[in-house]
Amino acid sequence: MLATTCDSVAQFFRSFRRTTPFPVEILLPGVLILFAWPLLRIWLDGARTAFMVAFVLGMGLRLAMKSRLMITRTRAHVSGPATVALILLAGPGALGLLIWSAEPLLCQRFLSLYFAFAAALYAIDVVDGSYAINRLRWPQPEMRGTDAVLTRVMVIYNLAMVLANEALIHHASQTTWLLYFGLLPLVSNLIRTALVRRVQESYGAGA
């Protein structure tokens, strides 16, 4: 039993080996924050203001990069006009509200809300059995056998990201959280790639 467990763990970590390079653009939020944060601390009065500006820059860029995926996920469940309204509300609308509030804690909690929203969309797919997001995001024929499992895995993954963010909010400094936030696109891309590859190897067509 121990040997089987160790083998499963080893296979999972081998899944992190990429066969293709990750998109370079996912590094942009992290690079922007890493360069902007120390300069903002010098130029602006107070760490609170510097944090808000750095967060808005990073989140604005992240939302712009994720907009297509967010639209695809939402359109899998609601109509076109409703999708436009939800995206505007959850993207520019929420970001504008955070800027107006000028509260760093709300900015940090916004990331938890983002992952909770993604988990809810995948959970709806689990309940209705359509697996629409999975089919739109991974349309390859060999992925059809993974729909049920991978959708559940994505629910767990997004909920885990909520818990990770909440843990950092409670136990890490704002500087550490900003660093995490900046590197999150790269980290999440690596984790999702490993999870998808592991599920595909076990449940995909021809597995």
Side-chain angles (χ1 to χ4, degrees):
M1 181 176 178
L2 179 60
T4 303
T5 302
C6 291
D7 183 61
S8 298
V9 172
Q11 288 183 16
F12 174 72
F13 280 104
R14 283 197 295 269
S15 299
F16 283 88
R17 295 180 300 179
R18 302 185 64 91
T19 56
T20 57
F22 57 79
V24 177
E25 60 267 20
I26 67 175
L27 296 174
L28 291 179
V31 172
L32 178 62
I33 289 175
L34 287 174
F35 277 96
W37 175 244
L39 296 176
L40 291 170
R41 290 296 303 270
I42 296 173
W43 293 339
L44 299 177
D45 294 330
R48 184 192 188 97
T49 304
F51 176 93
M52 290 298 302
V53 174
F55 173 82
V56 169
L57 289 174
M59 179 55 80
L61 182 56
R62 180 172 173 82
L63 287 175
M65 291 167 53
K66 301 282 286 186
S67 59
R68 183 176 179 179
L69 178 59
M70 292 170 64
I71 292 171
T72 299
R73 286 177 178 174
T74 309
R75 287 193 65 183
H77 297 289
V78 299
S79 63
T83 296
V84 173
L86 284 172
I87 293 301
L88 290 176
L89 181 63
L95 197 57
L97 181 62
L98 292 174
I99 296 172
W100 176 78
S101 71
E103 176 54 59
L105 182 60
L106 290 179
C107 295
Q108 294 173 309
R109 287 273 157 72
F110 179 74
L111 188 60
S112 294
L113 182 63
Y114 169 84
F115 283 113
F117 179 68
L121 290 178
Y122 279 110
I124 292 172
D125 268 1
V126 172
V127 172
D128 64 24
S130 66
Y131 310 122
I133 299 175
N134 196 63
R135 292 173 182 272
L136 286 170
R137 191 167 186 186
W138 295 283
Q140 302 89 338
E142 62 270 18
M143 293 296 292
R144 292 293 60 82
T146 70
D147 288 337
V149 175
L150 188 54
T151 301
R152 287 168 170 80
V153 167
M154 287 298 107
V155 173
I156 296 171
Y157 159 75
N158 282 286
L159 290 177
M161 296 304 288
V162 173
L163 293 177
N165 187 57
E166 290 298 315
L168 279 170
I169 290 173
H170 284 89
H171 301 292
S173 65
Q174 288 184 351
T175 301
T176 301
W177 187 90
L178 268 180
L179 179 61
Y180 162 76
F181 175 66
L183 296 176
L184 184 59
L186 174 61
V187 173
S188 60
N189 183 274
L190 291 173
I191 295 174
R192 280 197 312 269
T193 298
L195 292 172
V196 171
R197 183 174 298 164
R198 188 73 184 94
V199 172
Q200 183 181 7
E201 289 173 353
S202 300
Y203 298 94

